[in-house]
Amino acid sequence: MPNENKTSLENSRAQMRKGLLEYCILLVISRKKVYASDIIASLRTADLLVVEGTMYPLLSRLKNDGLLDYHWQESKSGPPRKYYELTSHGKAMLKQLDGTWEMLQSSINALRLARA
Amino acid sequence: MPNENKTSLENSRAQMRKGLLEYCILLVISRKKVYASDIIASLRTADLLVVEGTMYPLLSRLKNDGLLDYHWQESKSGPPRKYYELTSHGKAMLKQLDGTWEMLQSSINALRLARA
DNA sequence: CATACTACCTTTTAATGCAAGGTAGTGGGG
DNA sequence: CCCCACTACCTTGCATTAAAAGGTAGTATG
């Protein structure tokens, strides 16, 4: 008796996205200064769903790890925003993760090719 | 004051691997009938570290979700083994995840190219 | 001045990877 | 015949963390 297969699929998909989230956020921030909603919008464009409740704690964590820094900037319409950018540690980390991503890609694509 | 940067990197790497674990396990099983230690060995070869305490519960979950099935088979040296194979649901799921993986790859590689 | 909107943040819950520890079948050496 | 090593299975407890839901506050608009 299969246990809700659709859920299982969505679950797996979510997991795949989750694992890559941190890397993607660093990628987005590396392009230009952005604030939380910018990041969410960019990732949504790339089919990577994220919600606020995920983004804010994650940004805080990355900040505490010394990978990000931010400064307040007023908005023409609404409350002020926190604009994030990479620190030098963040840039170094991103470079490392680029390597990890490339390895992962080739490992998995090798597994895929090895199929009957 | 950066908060242990090396840990942060290892953490991110682990997360990336974790998210793709389920997909990789299905890939390995799709090639031929295997038992837990086979899977761990295959993934290790592909630089994807997994340990027993992760593998067994995960296999049980996939079984309960109706994606896998197994049968016992005696070994020439040691206790009997559980050989796993994909059910038809599992095969369908794997096909879906292939699509997800391809989309993820192109999304992320697009983000990477868009860098300054 | 009240409502809508944007942006930030926190609390709580559930999932899950992993370390560590536990059970049991098999076979070889003493 | 017994003990020890090896292999394979599984479970318990912990720490991390994504996400849902709810909360605060500044700004603009009718």
Side-chain angles (χ1 to χ4, degrees):
Chain A
M1 52 204 95
N3 210 356
E4 285 285 320
N5 214 324
K6 189 182 177 186
T7 303
S8 191
L9 174 61
E10 270 319 310
N11 192 357
S12 276
R13 282 192 164 140
Q15 274 185 298
M16 288 169 78
R17 269 188 269 114
K18 278 201 289 195
L20 297 166
L21 233 195
E22 211 171 293
Y23 176 47
C24 290
I25 288 174
L26 293 178
L27 275 175
V28 169
I29 297 177
S30 76
R31 299 189 297 182
K32 65 172 192 217
K33 294 184 183 178
V34 283
Y35 72 108
S37 301
D38 283 338
I39 302 176
I40 293 174
S42 290
L43 296 183
R44 186 176 308 277
T45 306
D47 293 307
L48 295 156
L49 299 184
V50 206
V51 295
E52 286 194 329
T54 300
M55 188 56 79
Y56 286 105
L58 187 45
L59 288 173
S60 295
R61 211 188 75 218
L62 297 174
K63 167 77 166 59
N64 289 335
D65 288 348
L67 305 172
L68 301 182
D69 209 350
Y70 66 76
H71 61 97
W72 287 98
Q73 191 168 310
E74 300 199 347
S75 162
K76 283 169 187 162
S77 61
R81 301 165 176 175
K82 272 189 178 178
Y83 277 84
Y84 286 90
E85 61 189 320
L86 296 186
T87 62
S88 56
H89 280 108
K91 287 175 191 169
M93 168 92 154
L94 181 54
K95 211 169 276 185
Q96 298 286 321
L97 291 182
D98 275 330
T100 302
W101 169 243
E102 281 162 15
M103 278 185 46
L104 267 178
Q105 272 191 109
S106 63
S107 291
I108 291 180
N109 289 331
L111 284 179
R112 294 184 70 198
L113 287 176
R115 263 184 301 188
Chain B
M1 53 206 92
N3 209 356
E4 284 287 318
N5 214 324
K6 188 181 178 186
T7 303
S8 192
L9 174 61
E10 269 321 308
N11 192 356
S12 275
R13 282 193 164 139
Q15 274 186 296
M16 287 169 78
R17 268 188 270 115
K18 280 200 289 196
L20 297 166
L21 232 195
E22 211 170 295
Y23 176 47
C24 290
I25 288 174
L26 294 178
L27 274 176
V28 169
I29 297 177
S30 76
R31 298 189 298 182
K32 65 171 192 217
K33 295 184 183 179
V34 283
Y35 72 108
S37 301
D38 282 339
I39 303 176
I40 293 175
S42 289
L43 296 183
R44 189 177 307 277
T45 305
D47 292 308
L48 294 156
L49 298 185
V50 207
V51 295
E52 285 194 328
T54 301
M55 186 58 78
Y56 286 106
L58 186 45
L59 288 173
S60 295
R61 211 189 74 218
L62 296 174
K63 166 79 167 57
N64 289 335
D65 288 349
L67 304 172
L68 300 182
D69 209 350
Y70 66 77
H71 62 96
W72 287 98
Q73 191 168 311
E74 299 199 347
S75 162
K76 284 168 188 162
S77 62
R81 302 167 175 172
K82 274 188 177 178
Y83 276 84
Y84 287 91
E85 60 190 322
L86 296 186
T87 62
S88 56
H89 279 108
K91 288 176 191 168
M93 169 91 153
L94 181 54
K95 212 170 275 185
Q96 298 286 320
L97 292 183
D98 275 329
T100 302
W101 169 243
E102 281 163 13
M103 279 185 44
L104 268 178
Q105 273 192 108
S106 64
S107 290
I108 290 180
N109 289 329
L111 283 180
R112 294 184 71 197
L113 287 175
R115 264 184 301 188

